[in-house]
């Protein structure tokens, strides 16, 4: 099993880790509703599930019937 011959200093360790950064999620705006959402994700708006500007699920009618 490999093990280091010398201790790696905190400075050297931190220099190596400078390239590990958190990326900012890209936000899209729905053309139909104007809602901000993540790319390639469906989002709810006023009881309807939208994806790429189209309604996938409409829960407004189910709420009125119950």
């Amino acid at each position: 099993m490999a093990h280091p011959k010398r201790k790696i200093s905190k400075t050297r360790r931190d220099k190596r880790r400078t390239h590990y950064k958190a990326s900012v999620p890209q936000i899209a705006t729905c053309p139909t509703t104007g809602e901000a959402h993540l790319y390639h994700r469906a989002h709810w708006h006023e009881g309807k599930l939208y994806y790429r500007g189209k309604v996938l699920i409409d829960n407004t009618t189910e709420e009125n019937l119950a």
Side-chain angles (χ1 to χ4, degrees), residues 25-53:
Q26 289 193 330
I27 305 289
T29 305
C30 182
T32 308
T33 62
E35 280 288 303
H37 63 92
L38 293 175
Y39 277 106
H40 307 290
R41 306 283 195 294
H43 63 281
W44 289 96
H45 180 69
E46 295 179 356
K48 297 178 183 176
L49 183 67
Y50 287 90
Y51 182 69
R52 297 181 69 186

Side-chain angles (χ1 to χ4, degrees), residues 8 15 20 26 34 53 55 60-61 64:
I8 295 179
K15 282 182 189 176
Y20 299 140
Q26 289 193 330
V55 178
T60 56
T61 55
N64 292 340

